[in-house]
Amino acid sequence: QLHILRYPDPRLHTVAKPVAEVDARIRQLVDDMLETMYAADGVGLAATQVDVHERVIVIDTSQERDTPRVLINPEIVKASERMVEGEEGCLSVPQIYDKVPRHAEVTVRATNRDGEVYEFDADGLLAVCVQHEMDHLMGKVFVEYLSLMKRDRIKTKMIKKTREEEAEARR
Ligand SMILES: O=C(O)C[C@@H](Cc1ccccc1)[C@H](O)SCc1ccccc1
Ligand SMILES: [Zn+2]
């Protein structure tokens, strides 16, 4: 499994670069990201979160956890005017959940694990997750949509949690 960066790690604010070629290295990264996402009970994971700054996202919104989606060089080609506000969480900001405004429906174009370009329409949780992950590739974490006060409290909580875990690991 890969190590997931914890907010407020500054590397989470790196802007990812497009993938030049879907080669064996990228396919290995995709496999490692899927293994890491499933192990962490995540619904999605962006390469930025595992400190790889290339435009790769993996998602699985299925109940059975058996429908992996790979989005390489993803683009939102259409987004609904209608917005929704759903509770979001983030593997880089554990145990924090808060509401974030997102487009209700999006049409996404991406490249798959075999290097083929494909398009799909998303609504519901999938639409929210795609937007959440694409923010990660732009160096944006969902807490940045919250008030400065909330963001500061979350930052303090995460630093404390990370310090405690590191102390625990040293014991
Ligand atoms: O850290 C990540 O990017 C993975 C997120 C993806 C995600 C965030 C918000 C909405 C959907 C997916 C984690 O899977 S958080 C899990 C989760 C999912 C829905 C609602 C709350 C928490
Ligand atoms: Zn996230």
Side-chain angles (χ1 to χ4, degrees):
Q1 283 158 38
L2 304 174
H3 169 68
I4 295 174
L5 296 178
R6 169 83 53 81
Y7 184 82
D9 190 313
R11 291 170 290 183
L12 285 168
H13 302 300
T14 309
V15 177
K17 290 188 173 50
V19 168
E21 187 198 352
V22 180
D23 55 12
R25 178 182 68 85
I26 294 293
R27 280 193 289 276
Q28 183 62 54
L29 170 64
V30 161
D31 294 346
D32 293 346
M33 285 175 64
L34 280 166
E35 180 194 19
T36 303
M37 179 190 76
Y38 287 123
D41 287 333
V43 168
L45 186 67
T48 309
Q49 294 178 273
V50 291
D51 200 18
V52 174
H53 302 291
E54 299 188 61
R55 293 182 63 77
V56 179
I57 288 169
V58 294
I59 293 176
D60 188 342
T61 53
S62 71
Q63 289 301 326
E64 304 70 30
R65 316 288 289 149
D66 62 357
T67 316
R69 292 168 185 271
V70 174
L71 288 72
I72 297 165
N73 297 335
E75 302 163 59
I76 291 181
V77 293
K78 252 188 334 206
S80 62
E81 292 267 306
R82 191 166 72 83
M83 306 293 280
V84 288
E85 275 213 8
E87 281 278 295
E88 297 196 11
C90 183
L91 295 174
S92 296
V93 196
Q95 275 101 41
I96 302 291
Y97 300 95
D98 213 322
K99 290 190 176 313
V100 174
R102 300 289 187 184
H103 296 284
E105 290 96 19
V106 288
T107 299
V108 184
R109 181 179 303 148
T111 300
N112 66 18
R113 206 176 169 285
D114 303 324
E116 295 146 352
V117 177
Y118 68 107
E119 240 177 66
F120 63 95
D121 295 325
D123 62 3
L125 180 60
L126 180 57
V128 170
C129 183
V130 167
Q131 292 170 81
H132 176 107
E133 302 309 336
M134 286 187 66
D135 270 358
H136 274 304
L137 298 181
M138 294 305 288
K140 191 163 185 164
V141 183
F142 87 99
V143 299
E144 291 161 43
Y145 290 91
L146 310 179
S147 68
L148 268 175
M149 194 180 73
K150 275 191 177 177
R151 203 182 325 170
D152 248 27
R153 273 216 316 269
I154 292 167
K155 216 172 265 186
T156 307
K157 209 179 280 183
M158 288 297 113
I159 290 166
K160 185 167 174 291
K161 186 180 171 65
T162 303
R163 283 231 181 92
E164 283 163 357
E165 284 170 4
E166 282 164 354
E168 185 61 33
R170 272 194 297 277
R171 218 195 302 282

